[in-house]
Amino acid sequence: MQHDDFSADPLAGLALDTLAVRAGHERTAEQEHGEPIFTTSSFVYGSAAEAARKFGGEEPGNIYSRFTNPTVRIFEKRLAALEGGERCVATSSGMAAILSTALALLEAGDEIVASRSLFGSTVSLFSKYLGKFGITTRYVELGNLGAWEAAMTPKTKLLFAETPSNPLSEVVDIEQLAALAKRHGAWLAIDNCFLTPALQRPLDLGADLVIHSATKYLDGQGRAIGGAVVGRDKELEELFGVVRTCGPCMSPFNAWVFLKGLETLGIRMKAHCENALQLAQWLEAHPAVERVHYSGLESHPQHALAKRQQRGFGAVLGIEVKGGREGAWSVIDATRLLSITGNLGDVKTTITHPGTTTHGRLNDEQKAAAGIREGLIRVAVGLEDIDDLKADLARGLDRL
């Protein structure tokens, strides 16, 4: 199956906000203005010879919606354009995107070097499930480039990082990490779901692959589950083969939902960042708050790096409050407006206790290494009025 090269698109070279609205959609004979949803499992052919050519890859065209669906293809083209990649492969979830990447690039005996500041499910995937098949993962401090290099061996094939990290907003120098990967003949994959291409483009900084949980800010309203990988056509051809064969594919309806989310990505991310910075500054001054983890604060140890390689600081705050778990839970339970949920990237502000939810499956040693303390709260700042958000958090903070 051959995919169209986005570089031939007449919209190439336009600004991100324009691409987010226009890229990828080629109107059908119906001349629709909005992107159509192709809710079909299969496609028909004019002859047996045409079917044979398409199944054999001799002629481009749709075959089966597990791996060729027009609505999903629009989403893939649009996200590839936004990230500055040659190609995108959509998947059923963000975790499916990470698994598909590993299946495409790695084999038994290979090694991964990853940040120890990863989403809990990513750690479980690498250590428990990939480990079953002879793939070893070593975890290092995200911002310590010396530790990354020291952990690498001739068997290292993949470097994997979230930047900023979840939920401590740690940052790594992507350009330097990319240079390190290239010196050792390894791939660098960056999970970009916290910032999206509206705020950071890892491929421009030398990364080989960009991973997304489209469930988060690409959708922006908590409506659908999906994932994606963006990069060069060469690496993604094998990853496309994984999705084609193993089936972790994105549904056409979810692809359409994500397309609607992308249309407002730029303005949403700006608004998220404005709210998050104001809330972080207010929290940093509150006597019940011991520390605020947010790279937009000048007090953050990597603020200068984040400012250099990002166009904004995102919307996720890590807040350490007095009183350990009891204090954190009391603040969470006192809220009336914020949504107590593990998801993020929503226009609605969400709040959770990472140590018992998103990172709850990590053991105590893994939590300590990742900085997941008992008094840590994660707030993913939405688009509500900032004074209402402050008042809601003050209900619990003022009691500590």
Side-chain angles (χ1 to χ4, degrees):
M1 172 65 185
Q2 297 295 316
H3 285 252
D4 294 337
D5 183 353
F6 185 76
S7 64
D9 195 296
L11 296 176
L14 296 178
L16 182 138
D17 286 344
T18 304
L19 294 172
V21 174
R22 295 284 185 176
H25 179 203
E26 297 175 9
R27 293 189 180 98
T28 71
E30 300 296 333
Q31 290 296 294
E32 71 282 347
H33 191 224
E35 300 86 356
I37 309 175
F38 286 86
T39 54
T40 179
S41 57
S42 63
F43 304 86
V44 298
Y45 312 100
S47 67
E50 181 191 354
R53 290 193 301 273
K54 288 182 177 177
F55 270 77
E58 300 171 16
E59 180 180 314
N62 300 310
I63 299 172
Y64 190 56
S65 276
R66 186 177 72 239
F67 56 97
T68 54
N69 180 275
T71 310
V72 176
R73 188 160 58 247
I74 298 170
F75 168 74
E76 290 174 331
K77 286 185 174 183
R78 187 167 296 178
L79 185 57
L82 295 179
E83 284 286 6
E86 293 177 355
R87 186 172 178 182
C88 171
V89 175
T91 60
S92 57
S93 68
M95 290 308 305
I98 298 171
L99 173 61
S100 298
T101 299
L103 292 176
L105 301 182
L106 306 175
E107 58 186 40
D110 288 344
E111 296 177 354
I112 302 169
V113 178
S115 163
R116 68 188 184 190
S117 303
L118 291 179
F119 178 48
S121 292
T122 307
V123 175
S124 296
L125 170 63
F126 286 171
S127 297
K128 182 177 181 179
Y129 294 104
L130 295 184
K132 286 184 177 182
F133 299 97
I135 297 171
T136 301
T137 303
R138 294 185 177 87
Y139 298 96
V140 299
E141 183 182 351
L142 176 62
N144 187 341
L145 290 166
W148 284 91
E149 186 153 28
M152 297 181 73
T153 77
K155 295 182 179 180
T156 302
K157 296 296 190 297
L158 177 65
L159 306 186
F160 189 96
E162 297 175 13
T163 182
S165 69
N166 176 16
L168 300 184
S169 198
E170 298 167 298
V171 180
V172 69
D173 190 317
I174 297 175
E175 283 188 317
Q176 291 191 33
L177 194 58
L180 174 63
K182 286 176 174 57
R183 287 200 304 270
H184 289 266
W187 290 287
L188 173 60
I190 297 293
D191 186 322
N192 198 32
C193 78
F194 268 34
L195 294 183
T196 80
L199 303 180
Q200 176 174 267
R201 299 218 311 181
L203 298 179
D204 291 348
L205 299 172
D208 299 292
L209 299 166
V210 176
I211 310 288
H212 278 286
S213 171
T215 313
K216 309 302 190 293
Y217 292 102
L218 298 188
D219 172 17
Q221 296 184 56
R223 299 170 293 189
I225 302 290
V229 185
V230 183
R232 293 184 295 267
D233 188 75
K234 180 181 178 181
E235 282 82 15
L236 266 66
E237 180 60 31
E238 183 61 24
L239 198 148
F240 171 73
V242 170
V243 174
R244 174 176 182 155
T245 303
C246 302
C249 54
M250 180 179 287
S251 79
F253 180 78
N254 285 9
W256 182 83
V257 170
F258 297 138
L259 284 166
K260 298 298 101 183
L262 289 178
E263 290 178 350
T264 60
L265 180 63
I267 58 174
R268 279 191 292 105
M269 295 310 295
K270 289 177 185 175
H272 278 296
C273 290
E274 290 171 3
N275 257 7
L277 181 58
Q278 289 187 61
L279 191 63
Q281 291 169 335
W282 175 79
L283 286 165
E284 194 172 41
H286 197 287
V289 175
E290 295 180 338
R291 185 176 180 184
V292 179
H293 300 271
Y294 184 63
S295 62
L297 293 172
E298 292 186 5
S299 59
H300 191 283
Q302 297 168 304
H303 174 71
L305 170 61
K307 191 174 182 179
R308 185 172 75 246
Q309 75 179 14
Q310 302 169 191
R311 291 184 294 278
F313 302 104
V316 180
L317 313 180
I319 308 160
E320 294 188 42
V321 300
K322 295 179 178 179
R325 181 188 293 191
E326 183 179 349
W329 280 20
S330 68
V331 171
I332 293 169
D333 290 347
T335 59
R336 297 292 177 268
L337 179 66
L338 277 62
S339 303
I340 304 174
T341 178
N343 194 38
L344 57 90
D346 203 308
V347 293
K348 303 179 182 73
T349 299
T350 66
I351 188 168
T352 193
H353 183 249
T356 51
T357 58
T358 57
H359 294 70
R361 297 178 69 182
L362 303 182
N363 60 41
D364 290 342
E365 183 179 351
Q366 289 171 320
K367 288 179 186 177
I372 307 300
R373 300 176 181 86
E374 287 296 298
L376 180 67
I377 296 169
R378 188 188 73 190
V379 175
V381 185
L383 303 186
E384 302 95 340
D385 184 89
I386 188 64
D387 290 331
D388 291 334
L389 296 179
K390 292 176 183 177
D392 203 41
L393 284 166
R395 288 190 178 94
L397 289 172
D398 290 348
R399 299 175 187 170
L400 294 183

